[in-house]
């Protein structure tokens, strides 16, 4: 069934983008975007099993805003089959959905192996041409079994260009160079290298997998525990046939283009020039009737048809006739293309860049050359000669109706599509600006003050223009303002108030410069800013204006964003009412829309980094050395922190109100027992909750007083209900408040929030890391964990310091190392940014390699390579212009030494993060903090956008520098933008998770399948949220025993994670481990091992061996190796896991007990019973101490000890017999069987958090009753744990429950989703 992921702008009314034209887009990115639907269609049409998760018909009850009526929406109609007749091939069947458009069938046909060479055709039903943009259900007479005829149509210039592009895309379909170069939303995936193709084709290989002697289990040396080698080359393993088949030597536009007038009248559209693999040079005419050979040569124009001319409607058919090599290779190429998993080919919504790439040959490419030319002119790809009105598109999509589910899906899909296109265009534009390819709109100004317009997008640089940020920290403030503004845009977009508009905003860091790209408000460039702004201030509070319409709109955002409506004084000392910070500007565009911009202070200031004279900070802050002077005064709290703080205050409010109510009742009844009555307390909590949210007239006077006291205590702005909001203008320089306003409570709230961050959120993060509920593996995942708790990155020094002072410090070793690596790489990035700004383009690779040598190489005195003559001539030329960025002192960068750089890094870490680094050079840092150079290299490259040549770098070499200028392949932009969300799909996903937690696995699975459907509708086929959906679906499939479906879904999850997050992202590593488990369960042992080895290699690269997750990985590898009787290797991995578990969980934890048990089993297989007994005794001791003598685990261990003792005695008897009687001894052969796969799988399930618990019907009833009791308690008190039990189980069935084995006093199976 074809997934509806076609171009979205076609559905947006009045967006001035040439909507119907753009959907047949000419350029590869658009083509690839459309290919999402095509490739999903191929997958679904060719492999029926993929349809199993799609419900035929689903109903959604959607509550209207007034809550009065409900609607039933059919999300997906049942599909049907049509027969397609195409010229030159046999008719074939195609599965379609009534909701698809005809255009989507076009895309399917352009992707199929046998019809892919056609682009210019129409589809006809009973002789009538079908409209491309008609939905199939609207076509009269189209039904099951209808025959659709493919009819070739005459070409136009546009259609001919599209055809040539499409053929070029087919020729390049297996070429990874676009992914390495970071263009056209291509990205890398290496899963198929380890699985030898699609895991769905399991028949033969499953049988082979069970023949143990055929499995090669030996891992590469660098993967073995204890290895210090960290090679880079295996990061991108090249398969034997990675170089694609070459079909043509040259395919390019002829220099004879465009055709002269007389040839146009003969139907000539354009001319092509080709060189075949047989070295035949040919000129081809693209005419209205098709393609044919003409008589032109390189220097002689002769457009008449050659003899024979081979006139063909498709370029492929023509080339097949003139080149046998093309015919053979093109057919082989298309076979390979369609054999690849669709997820390896579909474009990602946002570009993913790789920090390493092999040396790729640069080949001639007419389309790439043409794209470079047109993008320089500022044309957007799919409408030649016309730019898109980004602002109109972005705002029109937000105005689409959202009354019911289909409308909301259409709206979200439109928003997401336009936004991802805008982000791509803005990134290209920002790079063009910095590279000097765009003319400034104020060319007479100094370089840093210039502004640019390209492709209807406004670009400005992150410098303090005209001392705008003078009071806030100058250039430092100007640099951070765009990201604060982006956070504000993200927040207002999420609230999504009708009638209030924000600008499309993308922040790009490239070559040391920060560029802000924004859509343009209609009319803004035609008038002065002072005339335009009707709300807010353009000078940070000196002149302030307000507007009733803006106040009305912003008041709707006030509660969700926790912004207080307040009054400030303008320059005439008049009171002005605002519902945002003063910097937030309101402008009504020429289109009549109300825009808000400059949202950099949407959230309240962070007083820990904003010392204010005469203001005393809470003790929690002063203890940690706050407030601290920061380099700019735009430090704001994160939205997550504001939400967490308000939630914390709400719980405090409930507690205070409940205690007072209990006290009142106790006094009233004069009965001291009431205080201890749990039920009474519960009732009071519920009562206080109602009071806190009810209107004052509903409340009796005594309860009113309770609420007032609780409100006052928590700082609520209302005395009758809980309502906390912040005034973002408090402590803003230049903002004055009326004298009547009492600011004390608002100031106190800000101080309390700052104290909450350091006294609650940082300790809570460290506690979660200590409990292993949060397991960051690299800088990005640690930053995510901090951001989720509202902790800004400027607190990183405090987090690392907190780790060092935490009891059980060694159990946080991994966090400490990641934290220090992050401090070093971020400080180096700050220095690198300034370093890059002084470098001319011609010296860029030399300068970057010199910086890396000073930063990471052990070579003591690297010397920069200066291509002097080139630089001097460029310098002279630029002195005349003096307009391009980066024309400062071109050679000052070459004076950098490792000593200077590391001195600057230590100083930057101290001044920015307030953390004292103790190292003078990289080797000392590595030694003092236990870091890895390759990890630092990866973190730094990812943060700065550097791409390195994939090879082994000798970072320890003291005789020559590690990097040369040839090793620097590229420098990419680092892009920040808003991620639009699929809200309905997310709600389905959450509901599914909740059902799974309650034990209703089947219902949960259905809801998550539906969520997947909706995610696909909004995001297309590729997105990180779809990845999470597939992972959970795979786990549910596995739990419910459907291994095949689990394998299929998890394979998609791995591919998607590689494509949208990156090939070595921590999530990708996790996905590999899950896939390995399902492969093992399915009998694919060899594949499971390869996947686990890959996961271990990636983990070694990004963090090293010393990480709690490595223990889980090693346990998995050890178990699989034990399963195939590679006991020696198995022990190496299991003993490594034991050491890591002992370090991070404590020597007496249950994880350590399990590690001992697994090792004992391997020793038993080796008949080394003494060692086996020793480890099992350790296991038994831990179980007995932690769980008691009567626990099932303790008993199992005791039984196993007896079994081992008997085995040991039997072996000793045998040995004695041999010693006594020599070769004449009459002994029965000893049996040491290989462990059966079921027991290995059982252990793998346990360590990966899945446990089998046999239940009788009686147990089941008891557990169900327990679940119901707990759910009722949860609803009453809003705080109860939930057990998950699957409904509908018979007496003999087993239930699978996910278990987290923690070092606690109980080993009861507890379920997590």
């Amino acid at each position: 069934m074809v997934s509806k992921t076609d171009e979205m702008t076609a559905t947006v009314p009045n967006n001035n983008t040439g909507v119907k034209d753009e959907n047949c887009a000419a350029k590869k990115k658009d083509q690839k975007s459309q290919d999402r639907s095509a490739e999903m269609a191929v997958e679904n049409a060719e492999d029926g099993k993929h349809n199993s998760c799609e419900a035929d018909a689903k109903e959604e009850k959607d509550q209207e805003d007034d809550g009065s009526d409900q609607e039933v929406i059919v999300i997906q109609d049942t599909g049907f089959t049509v027969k397609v007749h195409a010229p030159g091939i046999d008719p074939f069947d195609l599965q379609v959905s009534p909701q698809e458009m005809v255009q989507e069938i076009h895309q399917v046909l352009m992707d199929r192996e046998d019809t892919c060479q056609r682009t210019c055709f129409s589809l006809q039903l009973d002789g009538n041409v079908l409209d491309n943009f008609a939905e199939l259900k609207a076509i009269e007479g189209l039904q099951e079994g209808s025959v659709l005829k493919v009819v070739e149509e005459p070409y136009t210039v546009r259609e001919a260009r599209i055809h040539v592009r499409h053929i070029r895309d087919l020729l390049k379909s297996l070429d990874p160079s676009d992914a390495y170069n970071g263009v056209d939303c291509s990205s890398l995936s290496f899963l198929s290298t380890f699985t030898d193709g699609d895991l769905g084709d399991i028949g033969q290989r499953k049988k082979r997998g069970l023949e143990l002697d055929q499995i090669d289990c030996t891992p590469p040396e660098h993967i073995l525990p204890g290895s210090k080698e960290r090679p880079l080359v295996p990061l991108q393993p090249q398969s034997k046939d990675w170089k694609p088949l070459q079909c043509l030597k040259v395919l390019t536009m002829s220099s004879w283009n465009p055709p002269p007038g007389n040839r146009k009248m003969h139907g000539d559209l354009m001319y092509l020039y080709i060189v075949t693999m047989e070295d035949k040079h040919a000129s081809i005419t693209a005419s209205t009737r098709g393609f044919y050979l003409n008589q032109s040569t390189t220097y002689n124009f002769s457009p008449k048809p050659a003899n024979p001319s081979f006139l063909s409607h498709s370029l492929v058919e023509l080339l097949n006739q003139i080149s046998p090599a093309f015919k053979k290779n093109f057919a082989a190429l298309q076979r390979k293309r369609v054999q690849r998993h669709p997820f390896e080919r579909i474009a990602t919504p946002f570009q993913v860049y790789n920090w390493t790439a092999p040396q790729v040959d640069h080949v001639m490419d007419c389309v790439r050359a043409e794209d470079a030319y047109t993008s320089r002119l500022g044309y957007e790809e799919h409408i030649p000669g016309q730019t898109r009105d980004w602002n109109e598109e972005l705002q029109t999509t937000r105005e689409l109706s959202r009354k019911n589910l289909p409308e909301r899906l259409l709206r979200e899909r439109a928003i997401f599509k336009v936004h991802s296109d805008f982000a791509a265009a803005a990134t290209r534009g920002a790079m063009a600006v910095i590279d000097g390819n765009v003319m400034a709109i104020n060319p007479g100004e100094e370089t840093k003050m210039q502004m640019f317009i390209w492709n209807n997008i406004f670009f400005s640089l992150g410098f303090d223009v005209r001392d705008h940020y003078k009071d806030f920290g100058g250039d430092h403030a100007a640099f951070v303002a765009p990201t604060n503004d982006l956070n504000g845009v993200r927040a207002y977009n999420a609230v999504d108030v009708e009638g209030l508009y924000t600008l499309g905003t993308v922040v790009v860091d490239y070559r040391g410069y920060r560029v802000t790209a924004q859509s343009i408000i209609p009319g803004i460039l035609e008038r002065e800013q002072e005339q335009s702004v009707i709300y807010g201030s353009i000078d940070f509070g000196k002149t302030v204006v307000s507007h009733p319409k803006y106040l009305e709109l912003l008041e709707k955002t006030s509660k969700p964003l926790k912004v207080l409506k307040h009054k400030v004084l303008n320059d005439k000392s008049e009171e002005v009412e605002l519902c945002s910070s003063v910097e937030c500007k309101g402008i009504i565009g020429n289109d009549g829309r109300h825009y808000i911009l400059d949202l950099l202070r949407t959230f309240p200031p962070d007083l820990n980094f904003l010392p204010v004279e005469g203001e005393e900070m809470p003790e929690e802050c002063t203890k940690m050395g706050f407030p601290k002077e920061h380099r700019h005064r735009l430090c704001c709290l994160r939205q997550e922190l504001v939400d967490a703080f308000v939630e914390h205050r709400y719980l405090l409010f409930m507690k205070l109100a409940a205690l007072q109510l209990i006290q009142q009742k106790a006094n009233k009844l004069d009965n001291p027992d009431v205080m201890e009555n749990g039920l009474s307390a519960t009732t009071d909590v519920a009562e206080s909750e109602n009071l806190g949210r009810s209107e004052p007239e509903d409340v009796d006077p005594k309860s009113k007083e309770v609420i007032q006291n609780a409100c006052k205590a928590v700082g609520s702005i209302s005395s009758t209900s809980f309502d906390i909001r912040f005034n973002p203008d408090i402590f803003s320089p230049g903002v004055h408040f009326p004298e009547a306003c009492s600011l004390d409570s608002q100031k106190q709230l800000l101080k309390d929030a700052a104290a909450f961050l350091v006294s609650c959120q940082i300790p809570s993060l460290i506690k979660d890391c200590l409990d292993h509920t949060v397991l960051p593996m690299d800088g990005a995942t640690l930053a995510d964990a901090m951001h989720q708790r509202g902790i800004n990155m400027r607190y990183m020094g405090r987090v690392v310091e907190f780790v060092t002072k935490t009891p059980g410090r060694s159990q946080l070793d991994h966090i400490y190392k990641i934290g220090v690596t992050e401090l070093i790489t971020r400080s180096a990035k700050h220095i690198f940014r300034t370093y890059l700004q002084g470098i001319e383009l011609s010296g860029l690779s030399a300068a970057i390699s010199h910086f890396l040598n000073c930063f990471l190489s052990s070579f003591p005195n690297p010397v920069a390579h200066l291509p002097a003559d080139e630089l001097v001539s460029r310098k002279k030329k630029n002195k005349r212009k003096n307009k391009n960025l980066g024309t400062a002192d071109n050679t000052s960068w070459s004076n950098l030494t490792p000593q200077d750089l590391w001195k600057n890094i230590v100083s930057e870490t101290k001044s920015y993060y307030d953390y004292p680094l103790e190292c003078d050079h990289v080797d000392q840092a590595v030694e003092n903090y236990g870091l890895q150079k390759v990890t630092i290299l990866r973190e730094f490259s990812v943060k700065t956008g550097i791409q390195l040549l994939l090879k082994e770098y000798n970072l320890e070499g003291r005789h020559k520098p590690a990097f040369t200028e040839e090793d620097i392949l590229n420098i990419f932009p680092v892009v920040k933008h808003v991620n639009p969300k699929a809200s309905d799909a997310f709600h389905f996903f959450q509901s599914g998770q909740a059902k799974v937690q309650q034990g209703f696995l089947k219902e949960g699975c259905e809801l998550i399948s539906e969520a997947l459907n909706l995610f696909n509708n909004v995001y297309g086929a590729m997105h990180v949220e779809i990845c999470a959906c597939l992972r959970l679906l795979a786990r549910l499939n596995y739990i419910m025993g459907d291994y095949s479906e689990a394998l299929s879904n998890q394979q998609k999850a791995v591919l998607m994670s590689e494509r949208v997050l990156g090939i070595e992202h921590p999530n990708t590593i996790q996905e590999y481990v899950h896939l390995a488990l399902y492969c093992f369960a399915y009998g694919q042992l060899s594949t499971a091992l390869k996947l686990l080895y890959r996961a271990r290699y990636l983990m070694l690269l990004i963090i090293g061996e010393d990480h709690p997750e490595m223990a889980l990985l090693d346990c998995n590898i050890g178990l699989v190796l034990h399963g195939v009787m590679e006991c020696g290797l198995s022990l190496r991995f299991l003993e490594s896991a034991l050491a890591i578990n002992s370090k991070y969980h404590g020597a007496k934890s249950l994880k350590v007990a399990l590690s001992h048990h697994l090792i004992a089993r391997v020793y038993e297989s080796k008949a080394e019973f003494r060692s086996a007994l020793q480890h099992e005794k350790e296991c038994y001791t831990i179980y007995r101490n932690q769980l008691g003598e009567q626990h099932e685990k303790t008993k199992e261990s005791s039984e196993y000890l007896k079994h081992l003792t008997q085995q040991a005695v039997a072996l000793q008897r045998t040995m004695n017999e041999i010693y006594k009687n020599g070769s004449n001894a009459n002994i029965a052969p000893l049996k040491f069987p290989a462990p059966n796969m079921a027991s290995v799988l059982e252990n793998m399930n346990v360590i990966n958090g899945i446990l089998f618990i046999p239940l009788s019907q009686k147990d089941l009833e008891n557990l169900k009753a327990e679940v119901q009791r707990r759910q009722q308690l949860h609803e009453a008190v809003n705080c109860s744990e939930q057990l998950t039990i699957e409904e509908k189980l018979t007496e003999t069935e087993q239930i699978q429950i996910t278990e987290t084995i923690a070092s606690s006093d109980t080993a009861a199976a507890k379920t997590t989703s």
Side-chain angles (χ1 to χ4, degrees), residues 65-139:
D65 290 340
D66 60 3
S68 57
D69 56 345
Q70 291 182 325
E71 50 183 322
V72 177
I73 305 299
V74 176
I75 293 173
Q76 179 113 29
D77 290 325
T78 311
F80 58 95
T81 305
V82 293
K83 195 171 272 296
V84 178
H85 283 244
I89 60 167
D90 295 333
F92 58 90
D93 290 337
L94 185 69
Q95 176 95 8
V96 293
S97 156
Q99 293 180 318
E100 287 162 22
M101 288 191 287
V102 173
Q103 176 202 344
E104 290 177 85
I105 300 181
H106 271 253
Q107 292 299 334
V108 175
L109 296 178
M110 283 165 64
D111 191 74
R112 275 181 67 97
E113 185 185 350
D114 48 4
T115 55
C116 63
Q117 74 272 26
R118 302 186 185 284
T119 59
C120 186
F121 59 89
S122 62
L123 288 169
Q124 296 186 5
L125 176 68
D126 302 330
N128 299 318
V129 177
L130 304 184
D131 175 14
N132 263 5
F133 297 92
E135 287 194 337
L136 300 188
K137 62 185 176 191
I139 297 169

Side-chain angles (χ1 to χ4, degrees), residues 497-567:
V497 168
E498 216 166 315
L500 189 65
Y501 298 89
T502 56
L503 302 183
T505 307
V506 175
V507 179
V508 181
D509 291 322
Y510 178 61
R511 281 180 52 195
Y513 296 94
R514 172 156 286 180
V515 185
T516 308
Q518 292 171 305
S519 60
I520 301 168
I521 298 175
I524 184 98
L525 300 170
E526 299 156 20
R527 53 191 180 205
E528 288 296 317
Q529 198 177 27
E530 289 83 351
Q531 301 167 339
S532 306
V533 174
I534 60 164
Y535 173 90
S537 168
I538 59 165
D539 48 20
F540 287 100
K542 294 182 183 70
T543 54
V544 193
V545 288
S546 191
H547 190 278
K549 180 64 177 172
Y550 270 101
L551 283 176
E552 179 198 325
L553 288 168
L554 287 167
E555 207 160 351
K556 294 175 185 173
T557 69
S558 166
K559 192 161 187 179
L561 294 181
K562 321 290 187 293
V563 176
L564 179 67
K565 195 174 183 180
H566 58 283
K567 289 180 180 173

